[in-house]
């Protein structure tokens, strides 16, 4: 095992990974799925089917709406019964297709073909067709990362198995249960990019995964397993590269600019399925946790299953613990839901059902200038100062302080003794500056 | 001799700070302490003019006014000299060093009516300082002004983004802060 | 299935921006921890100066709390923040740097001024530029110098005496005494300590020595500081650099280790370094900034002690450096990610 | 418009509505430097009023003769002349006041109120109106100075016009007659004036 | 004798200064924007620094180049200030003859502050845009006024206040129709409308009638009854939303009476 490494800044939120030793359970197919055309970063996909069309499992229902975009596939076989605006998990109604399950339909069969024998372009095309996006939560279409003219600059592919969000354990379980697919996915990506150096980066609170990969990759010259000292937000692309390779991505640049491509471990597994079996992304693993659910654990669930159905299929909520907050994603970066009839999308890594105690936050007070936020910020920003500029609606100075570099990891707000809504202020500033720059461009 | 010059110099900067102790030059102190960059420019300009004015007024006082017993023209002649000096310096810098003018020149007109400049001339006369002492006192006074201005600008930049109560915002809090700053600098009294 | 869940969610859900968890470290907890850390100092103070100390402490805390409450309630019409304990911290810290014999009404006024002019005019906790407790003390010292410079010996009855630093200052300006001393080969420190009948261990433990309420016992201060350090509320860059500056400076100036140790243990250096310099609101953010801040405090302290008009300079040195904090912060912004700098 | 009420307005506006210190913040140095006692404050205020009235009158008379380019130097010379006269007068008739006001008497030359009024008012208005403006502004200045001095002398020296006031004289807070006291009292008074303007709205 | 020396001295001093300065001004002449010089003529030149700029010349430059306001100057007379404004072309807003040109902001939402129409209780930064970033705001209706007062904060004239139902209220006497609030509102609810008109549609929802009914009690459903009853033909229905053409509107208030949803209101005539 290599010596564990880490990055500068960040912090140690309490490790509440109670579901780490719960094996992934495949849930039954839902009766109905809602598939949004916008489940990834970039342009929304374009629907190609209409109401009453029959679809088989894995059929494309929407094609990529641009280069930075990904197709959407039917996750169950059935009939399209609705298309139009449905509530998106982000709270804004957006275009979606509803499929009702045909209970008679047969499962689609997928045949194995060794992906490593294909040419890089073929592999990339298959990845693109499978609709795989960054499943760690960023949902950036994977094939875009693999399309570059500057392959000469690239030297490393990092598989992101840090999973630093407290409470989420899907990547951990994927690594334990599907290590071969993950390694295969990495090899496919390395082949596409013609890179000879692969790193699987795993935080050292997942020792069993590190040991498993060490064992699987013993003697491998190209791929190394890099343990990381557990720290949040190590799973962030920039922090991960800084931790593994001591390279810092300058402001406004991409991992590519320092010669690295980062892929989430679960994405790697689905790349393997997508290339070897031509199986599109129709399902994903979701961690269900929190005090309010009867059976917390890791579940394999079809995309488009509503949160209500999902919780119901796992056994439902406890009767005696009133639900206070539902979070889609992790406790640090996830977002609260108010409506359980929103579907699970490609980026959903967890559903947390919290009771009053778990959801409780202390009241805000004045900033004490303690500097905790500055020390915690992995991007070297000054959250307290930016917040003051935002309070005075001074977007220029907020911009000057590089608020656009903020990765919204939540370290500052987590550690702030005044419990200030720092991240929300950052988001607001980023939004306003973004809008301003759009306006300027239009001029 | 050297020791007493150093004494005059340090006293003028820290102990008898023009702004915080002598209470001179408050208008620009409150007016131009909004941003550190302006404060530095203003401070340097004042220092420059003060030294020149210190020397020029000494010359007029001791070479013309005293020999011809015209001391009663002190005020009139000093202010005229300072005004002319400032204008002259402004024009010279504007032509010869546009970059410097951009940084400092804009502050020059403000200095005519800065009572710290006239003040230093009057104090020099009152204390019977020689030429060198006058210049050193003026230099120290100017640097002290610069120091107070820069400190104040740093504080005010922070206050500008703080939640200062509405009635206190701007001049009131600036004065109270100046008062507290003066209190803090009282600790240096008796030094040297 | 859906209906069943909907029933469970009949009550509206809470929706907030991320992050959804918090470290649990709150302002109130920080402030009450500081109060707890002050207990050893308070205990030593009350042991040393009995009723005098108790009166002064109660008076300043009352002044501070009344100011906090009244200003927030009647002027700003906002919720009062008395409960977070910050006014009590200010009150206690002010009391700790006042002489025990000071009349209660002056102590009360000091507490009031500290909160009113040190803190509330700027908009309350976290907004102030200067350390409120020291503002209180500096204003009291300028206003009532007589009361503020008369000291008593520890004990039940008030026997007036001089603090070690005041005695040293007096001796340093007494030329004939200096010549006598140099003839007899005794150092000035020995002379001071013999006359006042104290030893270094007395100074460290705070036994039998005059001084302001909280500055006599260094060990009590260190215990409190250790507590704060373990709780993670203070960082040692500023206090250690301040103490080191004073120690080394005194060593080189006095050219004797005793002189340096004397300056280390005399006066309010420890109290100031660990409880005032570390005040989050009025100290710089960055590590380098804190070191610079500490060194500045140390230099000014030593200058005032050796050359200035006052025997003790900790309070003024911290106030003067407080004024520089915005500039120091501007100078040492944290290095942004991607620029290669290290934190 | 009624001519009389107009002139009355010129006289009274300086006292409250356009008070040179509290409203338009001009002439700050003497405001803080000489207000440690009521005597000094009133002495300074009246001195300023004298210079204001004289220079306003002269400048108003000269307003149509002086070319625009050299008006500022001319104003300064006029003001400096009257300041010198004043200085000599005070030295002769009130040497104690002269000693305590020190260099602040000659510094009236650079007091922004005087040049400001000359520029903003006297060089455009009739001599009568200019005199009234000078008296009004001078009164406003004097009042403001006395108000500050009232608090400072009472609290800092326990006295008014040098006469000890019982209770206050027991243990006066010396800081009030030093520089910091001046800054703080002045800051609080502007805040008070603003509170009045904002009708008691302290926070937004 | 003494007087002669004094006069001589002052005269010579003035002469020397004058000669040196006039020589220098020729020798070191630098072209400046003539506008700045024009402005300088009217600026007090007291150089007091009260405006926050380093001296009068700097203020003049800021006025000409950065659009600073002469009102910053504390010493200037009204006549000179007007003269400067004239140079800068900022004259007092000319009173247009067209009464429709005098506009004021209108808050086009009258959503009720009831829990029934809320998705969740919002807690966080008190800013409308910030609330939109959290699950699109707490209200079911995506067009509803968020009631966090971003427009109030944006108004430089103190013409907006938060009123009942957490909706902002416009003080038409103070409103100068600068449009800052229109930009500040993330929901595009605020519009500038002629002050003389009193009949307005207070809804911007272009959702279908079915959706709107679910989300609001007083939202326009685009039923068209107002359009049918309008004697002046001033109402059009676009995207499920009634719109008044203010040029045609005769302020009769007929539509107010017939609107089944009470989305159209007639306000009391402002005193102009």
């Amino acid at each position: 095992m290599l010596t564990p490494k880490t990055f500068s800044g960040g912090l140690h939120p309490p490790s509440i990974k109670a579901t780490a030793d719960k094996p992934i359970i495949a849930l039954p197919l839902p009766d109905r799925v809602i598939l949004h055309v916008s489940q990834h970063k970039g342009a929304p996909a374009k629907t190609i089917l209409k109401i009453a069309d029959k679809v088989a499992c894995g059929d494309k229902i929407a094609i990529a709406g641009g280069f930075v975009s990904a197709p959407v596939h039917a996750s169950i076989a059935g009939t399209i019964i609705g298309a139009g605006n449905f509530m998106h998990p982000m709270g804004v109604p957006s275009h979606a297709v509803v499929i009702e399950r045909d209970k008679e339909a047969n499962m689609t069969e997928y045949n194995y073909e060794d992906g490593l024998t294909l040419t890089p372009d073929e592999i990339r095309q298959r990845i693109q067709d499978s609709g795989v996006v960054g499943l760690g939560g960023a949902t950036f279409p994977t094939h875009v990362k693999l399309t570059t003219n500057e392959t000469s600059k690239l030297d490393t592919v990092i598989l992101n198995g840090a999973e630093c969000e407290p409470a989420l354990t899907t990547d951990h379980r994927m690594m334990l249960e599907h290590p071969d697919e993950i390694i295969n996915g990495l090899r496919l990506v390395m082949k596409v990019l013609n890179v000879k150096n692969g790193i699987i980066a795993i935080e050292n609170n997942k020792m069993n995964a590190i040991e498993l990969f060490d064992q699987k990759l013993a003697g491998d010259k190209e791929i190394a397993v890099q343990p990381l000292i557990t720290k949040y937000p190590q799973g962030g692309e920039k922090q991960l590269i800084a931790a593994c390779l001591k390279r810092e991505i300058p402001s406004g640049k991409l991992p590519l600019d320092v010669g690295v491509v980062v892929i989430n471990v679960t994405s790697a597994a689905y790349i393997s399925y997508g290339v070897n079996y031509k199986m599109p992304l129709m399902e994903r693993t979701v961690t269900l946790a929190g005090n309010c659910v009867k059976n917390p654990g890791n579940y394999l669930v079809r995309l488009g299953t509503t949160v209500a159905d999902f919780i119901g299929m796992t056994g439902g909520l406890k009767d005696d613990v009133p639900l206070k907050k539902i979070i889609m994603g992790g406790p640090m970066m996830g977002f609260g839901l108010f409506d359980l009839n929103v579907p699970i999308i490609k980026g959903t890594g967890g559903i947390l059902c919290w009771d009053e105690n778990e959801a409780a936050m202390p009241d805000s007070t004045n900033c004490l200038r303690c500097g905790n936020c500055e020390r915690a910020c992995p991007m070297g920003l000054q959250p307290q100062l930016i917040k003051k500029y935002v309070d005075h609606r001074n977007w220029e100075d907020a911009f000057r302080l590089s608020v656009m570099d903020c990765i919204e990891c939540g370290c500052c707000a987590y550690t702030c003794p005044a419990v200030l809504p720092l991240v929300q202020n950052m988001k607001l500033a980023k939004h306003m500056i973004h809008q301003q720059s759009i306006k300027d461009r239009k001029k | 001799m050297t020791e007493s010059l150093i004494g005059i110099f340090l006293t003028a900067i820290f102990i008898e700070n023009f702004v915080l102790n002598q209470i001179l030059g408050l208008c620009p102190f409150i007016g131009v302490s909004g941003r550190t960059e302006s404060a530095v420019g203003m401070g340097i300009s004042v220092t420059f003019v003060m030294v020149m004015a210190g020397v020029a007024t000494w010359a007029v006082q001791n070479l013309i006014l005293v020999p011809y017993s015209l001391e009663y023209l002190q005020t009139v002649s000093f202010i005229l000299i300072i005004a002319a000096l400032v204008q002259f310096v402004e024009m010279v810098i504007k032509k010869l060093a546009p970059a410097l003018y951009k940084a400092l020149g804009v502050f020059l007109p403000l200095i005519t009516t800065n009572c710290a400049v006239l003040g230093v001339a009057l104090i020099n006369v009152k204390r019977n300082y020689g030429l060198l002492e006058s210049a050193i006192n003026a230099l120290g006074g100017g640097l002290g002004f610069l120091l107070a201005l820069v400190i104040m600008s740093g504080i005010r930049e922070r206050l500008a983004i703080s939640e200062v109560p509405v009635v206190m915002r701007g001049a009131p809090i600036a004065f109270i802060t100046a008062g507290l700053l003066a209190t803090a600098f009282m600790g240096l009294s008796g030094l040297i | 299935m859906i209906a069943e869940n909907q029933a469970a969610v009949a009550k509206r859900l809470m929706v907030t921006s991320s992050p959804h968890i918090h470290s649990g470290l709150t302002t109130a907890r920080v402030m009450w921890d500081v109060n707890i850390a002050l207990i050893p100092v308070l205990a030593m103070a009350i042991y040393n100066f009995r009723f005098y100390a108790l009166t002064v402490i109660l008076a300043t805390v009352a002044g501070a709390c009344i100011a906090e409450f009244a200003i927030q309630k009647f002027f700003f019409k906002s919720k009062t923040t008395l409960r977070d304990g910050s006014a009590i911290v200010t009150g206690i810290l002010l009391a700790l740097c006042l002489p025990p014999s000071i009349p209660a009404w002056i102590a009360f006024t000091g507490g009031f001024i500290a909160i009113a002019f040190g803190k509330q005019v700027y908009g309350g906790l976290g907004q102030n530029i200067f350390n409120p407790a020291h503002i209180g003390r500096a204003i009291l010292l300028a206003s009532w110098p007589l009361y503020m410079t008369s000291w008593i010996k520890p004990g039940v009855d008030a026997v007036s005496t001089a603090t070690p630093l005041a005695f040293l200052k007096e001796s340093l300006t007494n030329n004939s005494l200096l010549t006598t001393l140099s003839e007899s080969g005794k150092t000035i420190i020995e002379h001071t300590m013999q006359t006042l009948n104290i030893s270094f261990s007395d100074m460290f433990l705070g036994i039998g020595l005059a001084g302001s309420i909280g500055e006599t016992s260094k060990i009590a201060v260190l215990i409190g500081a250790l507590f704060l350090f373990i709780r993670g509320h203070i960082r040692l860059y500023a206090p250690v650099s301040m103490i080191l500056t004073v120690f080394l400076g005194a060593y080189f100036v006095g050219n004797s280790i005793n002189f340096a140790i004397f300056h280390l243990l005399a006066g309010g250096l420890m109290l100031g370094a660990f409880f005032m310099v570390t005040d989050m609101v009025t100290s710089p953010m960055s590590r380098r900034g804190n070191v610079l801040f500490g060194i500045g405090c140390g230099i000014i302290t030593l200058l005032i002690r050796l050359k200035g008009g006052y025997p003790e300079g900790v309070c003024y040195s911290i106030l003067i450096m407080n004024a520089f904090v915005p500039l120091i912060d501007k100078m040492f912004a944290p290095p942004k990610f991607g620029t290669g700098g290290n934190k | 418009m009624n001519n009389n009420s107009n002139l009355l307005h010129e006289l009274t506006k300086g006292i409250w509505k356009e008070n040179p210190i509290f409203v338009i913040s001009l002439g700050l140095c003497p405001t803080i430097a000489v207000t440690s006692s009521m005597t000094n404050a009133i002495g300074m205020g009246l001195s300023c009023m004298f210079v204001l009235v004289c220079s306003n009158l002269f400048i108003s008379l000269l307003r149509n003769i002086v070319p625009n380019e050299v008006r500022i130097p001319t104003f300064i010379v006029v003001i400096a002349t009257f300041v010198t006269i004043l200085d000599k007068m005070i030295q002769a008739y009130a040497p104690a006041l002269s000693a305590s006001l020190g260099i602040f008497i000659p510094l009236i030359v650079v007091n922004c109120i005087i040049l400001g009024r000359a520029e903003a008012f006297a060089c455009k208005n009739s001599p009568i109106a200019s005199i009234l403006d000078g008296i009004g502004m001078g009164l406003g200045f004097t009042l403001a100075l006395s108000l500050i001095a009232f608090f400072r002398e009472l609290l800092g020296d326990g006295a008014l016009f040098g006469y000890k006031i019982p209770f206050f004289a027991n243990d006066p807070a010396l800081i009030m007659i030093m520089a910091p006291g001046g800054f703080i009292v002045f800051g609080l008074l502007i805040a008070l004036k603003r509170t009045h303007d904002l009708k008691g709205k302290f926070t937004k | 004798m003494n007087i002669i020396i004094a006069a001589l001295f002052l005269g010579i001093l003035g002469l020397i200064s004058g000669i040196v300065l006039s020589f220098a001004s020729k020798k070191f002449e630098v072209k400046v924007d003539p506008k700045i010089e024009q402005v300088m003529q009217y600026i007090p030149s007291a150089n007091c620094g009260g405006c926050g700029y380093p001296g009068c010349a700097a203020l003049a430059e800021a006025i000409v180049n950065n659009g600073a306001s002469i009102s910053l100057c504390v010493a200037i007379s009204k006549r000179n200030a007007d003269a400067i404004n004239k140079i800068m072309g900022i004259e007092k807003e000319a009173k247009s003859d067209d009464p429709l040109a005098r506009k004021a902001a209108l808050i086009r939402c009258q959503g009720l502050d009831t829990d029934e129409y809320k998705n969740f209780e919002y807690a966080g930064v008190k800013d409308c845009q910030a609330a939109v970033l959290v699950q699109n705001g707490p209200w079911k209706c995506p067009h509803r006024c968020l009631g966090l007062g971003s427009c109030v904060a944006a108004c430089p004239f103190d013409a907006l206040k938060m009123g009942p139902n957490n909706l902002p209220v416009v003080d038409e006497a103070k409103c100068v129709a600068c449009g800052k609030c229109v930009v500040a509102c993330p929901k595009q609810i605020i519009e500038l409308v002629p002050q003389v008109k009193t009949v307005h549609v207070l809804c911007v929802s272009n959702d279908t009638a079915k959706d709107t009914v679910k989300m609001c009690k007083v939202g326009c459903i685009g039923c068209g009854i107002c359009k049918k009853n309008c004697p002046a033909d001033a109402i059009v229905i676009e995207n499920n939303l009634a719109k008044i053409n203010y040029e045609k509107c005769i302020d009769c208030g007929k539509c107010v009476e017939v609107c089944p949803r009470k989305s159209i209101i007639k306000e009391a005539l402002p005193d102009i």
Side-chain angles (χ1 to χ4, degrees), chain A residues 255-379:
Chain A
L256 187 68
D257 295 299
V258 292
V260 184
V261 164
V262 179
I263 306 264
N264 175 266
V265 283
T266 309
S267 299
Y270 280 98
I271 287 172
S272 168
Y273 291 131
V275 176
N276 293 331
Y277 295 92
K278 283 196 175 173
M279 185 183 112
L281 181 68
M282 305 179 294
E283 59 187 12
R284 70 157 296 148
T285 46
V286 176
T287 299
L288 181 67
N291 229 345
C292 293
V293 290
K294 277 187 186 149
N295 299 313
N298 302 294
Y299 298 96
L300 185 65
V301 60
R302 295 284 156 159
L303 296 175
T305 311
T306 62
V307 174
D309 285 348
F310 169 63
I311 297 173
M313 285 189 288
T314 63
L317 297 167
K318 284 184 195 162
D319 298 326
D320 50 341
V321 187
L323 189 63
K324 182 72 185 170
K325 195 173 196 177
I326 292 200
I327 298 159
M328 184 177 269
M332 295 298 278
M333 286 185 76
F335 40 91
L337 298 180
F338 58 81
D339 183 359
L340 292 189
N341 284 315
V342 293
I344 284 166
I345 54 173
K346 288 179 181 176
T348 308
I351 300 286
L352 310 176
C353 301
W354 281 359
D355 64 11
E356 191 94 38
N357 287 335
E358 285 170 305
M361 285 283 252
D363 288 337
S364 289
T365 51
N366 276 353
C367 170
L368 272 182
R369 282 177 37 81
C370 63
N372 279 357
C373 53
E374 285 189 11
R375 286 190 283 280
C377 182
M379 298 304 292

Side-chain angles (χ1 to χ4, degrees), chain E residues 197 232-236 243-250:
Chain E
K197 298 293 176 182
D233 199 19
I235 299 181
V236 285
K243 267 200 178 133
I244 295 178
N245 181 344
Y246 288 106
E247 283 180 9
K248 287 185 186 167
C249 176
I250 53 169

Side-chain angles (χ1 to χ4, degrees), chain A residues 72-378:
Chain A
V72 178
H73 302 83
S75 55
I76 52 173
T79 319
I80 296 182
I81 58 161
N85 277 353
F86 287 85
M87 192 54 88
H88 190 274
M90 295 305 282
V92 189
S94 78
H95 193 73
V97 170
V98 183
I99 303 172
E100 195 173 50
R101 185 156 68 97
D102 178 1
K103 297 199 168 93
E104 317 294 302
N106 294 326
M107 280 301 280
T108 319
E109 301 222 336
Y110 297 103
N111 299 318
Y112 178 78
E113 177 190 358
D114 188 2
L116 287 168
T117 58
L118 300 171
T119 65
D121 284 339
E122 281 170 334
I123 297 175
R124 192 184 300 123
Q125 190 56 46
R126 286 193 182 187
I127 293 173
Q128 188 168 358
D129 289 341
S130 70
V132 175
V133 299
L135 296 178
T139 66
F140 191 75
T142 302
H143 69 270
V144 181
K145 280 188 191 175
L146 305 184
T147 313
T148 166
N149 299 326
E150 303 172 77
T151 35
S152 55
K153 269 168 72 182
L154 282 174
D155 55 28
T156 313
V157 175
I158 302 179
L159 275 202
N160 184 351
E163 194 160 55
C164 54
E165 270 275 8
L168 298 193
T169 53
T170 58
D171 286 349
H172 188 186
R173 290 314 303 180
M174 280 303 281
M175 287 190 283
L176 289 180
E177 295 175 31
H178 303 279
D180 297 322
E181 285 87 343
I182 290 171
I183 293 171
N184 181 253
L186 175 58
R187 289 197 204 280
L188 287 167
V189 171
M190 284 161 68
K191 172 146 192 192
V192 173
L193 295 173
N194 190 23
V195 168
K196 296 276 169 262
N197 192 11
I199 296 175
I200 301 177
I202 305 169
E203 281 192 348
N204 61 4
N205 59 355
K206 297 179 262 289
M207 277 321 279
N208 47 4
I210 297 174
E211 281 158 14
L212 180 66
F213 276 101
D214 265 342
Q215 193 188 321
K216 292 255 176 206
L217 290 167
D220 195 291
K221 292 241 162 48
E222 292 187 341
I223 302 176
V225 181
Q226 175 64 59
L228 302 168
I229 298 166
T230 307
K231 196 156 72 165
Y232 181 83
Q234 199 135 238
E237 217 167 41
K238 295 183 174 178
Q239 282 63 43
L240 189 70
I241 296 171
C244 292
L245 299 171
K246 294 244 166 291
R247 295 184 199 166
E248 290 195 355
I249 304 172
S251 169
K253 300 281 185 185
L254 296 170
L256 187 68
D257 295 299
V258 292
V260 184
V261 164
V262 179
I263 306 264
N264 175 266
V265 283
T266 309
S267 299
Y270 280 98
I271 287 172
S272 168
Y273 291 131
V275 176
N276 293 331
Y277 295 92
K278 283 196 175 173
M279 185 183 112
L281 181 68
M282 305 179 294
E283 59 187 12
R284 70 157 296 148
T285 46
V286 176
T287 299
L288 181 67
N291 229 345
C292 293
V293 290
K294 277 187 186 149
N295 299 313
N298 302 294
Y299 298 96
L300 185 65
V301 60
R302 295 284 156 159
L303 296 175
T305 311
T306 62
V307 174
D309 285 348
F310 169 63
I311 297 173
M313 285 189 288
T314 63
L317 297 167
K318 284 184 195 162
D319 298 326
D320 50 341
V321 187
L323 189 63
K324 182 72 185 170
K325 195 173 196 177
I326 292 200
I327 298 159
M328 184 177 269
M332 295 298 278
M333 286 185 76
F335 40 91
L337 298 180
F338 58 81
D339 183 359
L340 292 189
N341 284 315
V342 293
I344 284 166
I345 54 173
K346 288 179 181 176
T348 308
I351 300 286
L352 310 176
C353 301
W354 281 359
D355 64 11
E356 191 94 38
N357 287 335
E358 285 170 305
M361 285 283 252
D363 288 337
S364 289
T365 51
N366 276 353
C367 170
L368 272 182
R369 282 177 37 81
C370 63
N372 279 357
C373 53
E374 285 189 11
R375 286 190 283 280
C377 182

